[in-house]
Amino acid sequence: MKEGKTYQFGNYSSQMFANVYLNELDQYIKHKLKIKWLFRYMDDVIILVKTKKEAKEALEKIKFFLKENLELKLNNKTQIFKNKQGVNFCGYKINEYRLKIRDKGKRKLKKKVKVLKKKIKQGEITSKEAKKYLAGHMGYIKIADTFNLEKKLFYKI
């Protein structure tokens, strides 16, 4: 958005506006730059290209497009990573071989499970209620490489 103006919206409206406003960027990357692999959630974007040279060229073109067309600039977190190095995106650590949950997410989940187990033991909630509470978390971890984490959290005797 233009400098000098402040806009504050609720969480869902911010997501919607990010999707609408950045759709032009998505179209530019896909159709003009011909980049096949683009992933975006709100203002977090990952593009996959074959070489470092391609990545640098795309990054420069994207910076220019954002400045000229959307009056935006990339923040200082913008980086180019090797596939093996991996990248943090939407709570996951993604590399060329795996999709893992970030350590911060694991700690949060472990803490939540510990609290729920305690509440079950104290009779404050049932295991069925705890399962409902964890349903969203379980969906989040199911798509990642989490066999050992699940075993550690849920199958201890």
Side-chain angles (χ1 to χ4, degrees):
M1 301 207 178
K2 293 184 180 181
E3 271 186 41
K5 294 183 181 181
T6 304
Y7 299 91
Q8 187 170 357
F9 301 100
N11 189 27
Y12 294 117
S13 56
S14 295
Q15 290 178 25
M16 182 189 70
F17 287 126
N19 283 330
V20 170
Y21 198 70
L22 293 175
N23 179 57
E24 283 186 57
L25 175 65
D26 297 343
Q27 299 308 315
Y28 173 74
I29 292 171
K30 289 177 186 177
H31 301 292
K32 297 289 186 201
L33 299 182
K34 305 281 189 220
I35 293 174
K36 185 177 179 181
W37 300 101
L38 163 70
F39 305 92
R40 182 173 63 79
Y41 176 73
M42 292 182 46
D43 65 342
D44 290 334
V45 180
I46 294 177
I47 62 170
L48 302 176
V49 294
K50 291 181 181 179
T51 66
K52 188 173 185 176
K53 181 182 177 197
E54 284 180 81
K56 286 181 177 183
E57 289 172 359
L59 182 57
E60 287 308 310
K61 290 176 182 177
I62 289 167
K63 282 181 184 178
F64 183 79
F65 177 85
L66 287 171
K67 182 181 178 199
E68 295 298 312
N69 296 283
L70 300 178
E71 299 182 38
L72 295 172
K73 66 178 187 173
L74 297 176
N75 65 30
N76 59 0
K77 296 186 290 184
T78 302
Q79 296 179 51
I80 295 173
F81 295 94
K82 291 180 181 179
N83 288 346
K84 292 177 184 173
Q85 201 174 347
V87 62
N88 292 320
F89 185 68
C90 294
Y92 298 99
K93 179 75 170 189
I94 304 166
N95 70 24
E96 64 182 330
Y97 301 109
R98 296 182 134 151
L99 176 71
K100 297 171 84 175
I101 295 177
R102 290 174 49 195
D103 291 340
K104 181 180 174 184
K106 284 187 219 173
R107 284 192 301 273
K108 194 174 176 182
L109 180 60
K110 286 176 184 177
K111 185 178 177 182
K112 191 106 32 192
V113 169
K114 187 177 178 180
V115 167
L116 289 172
K117 282 180 177 180
K118 185 178 177 184
K119 287 184 176 193
I120 291 168
K121 279 185 180 180
Q122 294 173 342
E124 294 178 34
I125 62 171
T126 66
S127 58
K128 190 175 182 178
E129 290 170 324
K131 188 176 179 181
K132 284 181 185 177
Y133 185 78
L134 285 173
H137 297 285
M138 295 307 294
Y140 166 70
I141 69 171
K142 283 289 182 195
I143 67 167
D145 182 8
T146 59
F147 177 76
N148 290 332
L149 175 64
E150 290 180 58
K151 196 166 117 180
K152 189 182 224 179
L153 288 174
F154 302 114
Y155 302 112
K156 277 188 176 177
I157 296 177

